[in-house]
Amino acid sequence: MTRPKTVIIRYTAVNRINHWITAICFVLLVLSGLSMFHPMLFFLSGLFGGGQRTRAVHPWIGVLLLISYLGLIIQFWRENLVHKDDIAWMKSIKYVAINDEEHVPPVGRNNAGQKMVFWSMTLLIPVLFFSGLVIWEVYFGAATSIPVQRVAVLIHSLAAIAAIIIWVIHVYAAIWIRDSVRGMTQGYVTPGWAWRHHRKWLKELAAGEHGKPTIRNRP
Ligand code: HEM
C-alpha cells in the first residue's frame, strides 16, 4: 500500500524494535511455559528441542523479557500516567465497545485501556521474574525451602495466566482498531486515524505541545 501524503509518527524505530523484541520473548515464554504447565501441552516443548531444553531456555527468555520490558517502561511511562480524562473514557466504555467513538470523550495519546495494559504488565512481569528466580532450580534451588518454592510456583502460574489474558486483550484491541498495527510496524498513523481514536493527542500535536514535529508531509 502506498504511504499517505501526510503522516504522524506514533512510534520511533527504537520504540518498535523494543516492542517487537518484547512481543517475541512473550510469545516464546507462553509457548515454553504452557508446555511445562500441563502434560496435555507438553507437545509444545518440541518447538524448543524437547523437555530439558525447554526447561533450560525458558528462564533465560524471561530475563530477556524483563530487560526488554524495562526499555518499554523507560520509553512509555510518562504517556501512561493516569489522568482525569481516563475516568471519563472508562465511563463511556459501552460506546467504545460498539465502536461509537463520537460518544467517547476525546482521547490523548493513550486511552485508559492502553494504560491498564501498560501498568498491568509493569506489575506482572517483575512478579513473574522474581517468582521465576525462586523456582530456577539450577541456580537458586538451594536458596529457598520446598514450601517457599511451592508458593512461588503458584504465584508464577497465576501471574502468567493474568499476563496471558492481558496480552490477548492487547492483541485483540490492536487488531480491532484498524491500522493500529501499522503504527507499530511502520511507525506512522494517518491524521484521520488520530482524529478518530486520539483526537486530543492530534490537537496537542497540531498545537506543537510535544516539542519535536511529528506530523510530516511526504516530499
Ligand atoms: C505479540 C503480539 C502483539 C501485538 C500484535 C501488539 C501490537 C501492538 C500495537 C499495534 C501497538 C500500538 C497501539 C497504538 O498505537 O495505539 C502496541 C503497543 C504497545 N504494546 Fe504491544 N503487541 C503485542 C505484544 C505485546 C506484549 C507481549 C507486550 C508487553 C508485554 C506489549 C506491550 C505494548 C506496549 C507497552 C505498547 C505501547 C503502548 C504505550 O504507549 O504504552 N505488546 N502493541
Side-chain angles (χ1 to χ4, degrees), residues 10-11 15 18-27 30 65 69 72-73 75-77 79-80 109-111 114-115 117-119 121-122 125 163 166-167 170-175 177 179-185 189 193 197-198 201:
R10 187 154 166 85
Y11 295 108
N15 294 160
N18 196 161
H19 173 268
W20 291 117
I21 291 175
T22 308
I24 291 167
C25 288
F26 191 89
V27 171
V30 170
L65 177 78
Y69 197 74
L72 291 186
I73 294 177
Q75 291 167 84
F76 295 132
W77 70 271
E79 62 207 41
N80 283 298
R109 190 183 153 113
N110 283 347
N111 63 40
Q114 290 170 300
K115 292 181 185 182
V117 169
F118 177 84
W119 291 114
M121 288 298 194
T122 302
I125 289 174
I166 301 285
W167 171 66
H170 176 62
V171 174
Y172 179 78
I175 296 167
I177 303 292
D179 290 341
S180 289
V181 174
R182 187 172 61 185
M184 201 35 108
T185 51
V189 291
W193 183 94
H197 305 298
H198 298 272
W201 178 58

Side-chain angles (χ1 to χ4, degrees), residues 143-165:
T144 51
S145 65
I146 298 292
V148 169
Q149 291 177 27
R150 284 190 183 139
V151 174
V153 172
L154 186 63
I155 293 173
H156 197 72
S157 307
L158 291 175
I161 292 167
I164 291 170
I165 293 170

Side-chain angles (χ1 to χ4, degrees), residues 4-10 101-102 107 177-180 182 188-203 205 215-216:
K5 199 162 162 42
T6 306
V7 295
I8 300 173
I9 304 304
R10 187 154 166 85
E101 287 181 83
E102 285 310 311
V107 174
I177 303 292
R178 220 171 106 198
D179 290 341
S180 289
R182 187 172 61 185
Y188 70 85
V189 291
T190 60
W193 183 94
W195 175 257
R196 184 152 181 213
H197 305 298
H198 298 272
R199 194 164 301 177
K200 203 173 156 205
W201 178 58
L202 178 66
K203 286 182 177 165
L205 288 177
I215 304 183
R216 291 189 193 151

Side-chain angles (χ1 to χ4, degrees), residues 28-71:
L28 292 176
L29 282 163
V30 170
L31 292 170
S32 53
L34 286 177
S35 81
M36 295 184 281
F37 183 68
H38 194 277
M40 259 172 66
L41 299 169
F42 181 71
F43 72 95
L44 290 170
S45 67
L47 294 169
F48 301 88
Q52 289 304 323
R53 290 223 172 109
T54 305
R55 194 186 182 203
V57 85
H58 178 86
W60 286 110
I61 308 173
V63 172
L64 253 180
L65 177 78
L66 181 81
I67 297 169
S68 179
Y69 197 74
L70 280 178

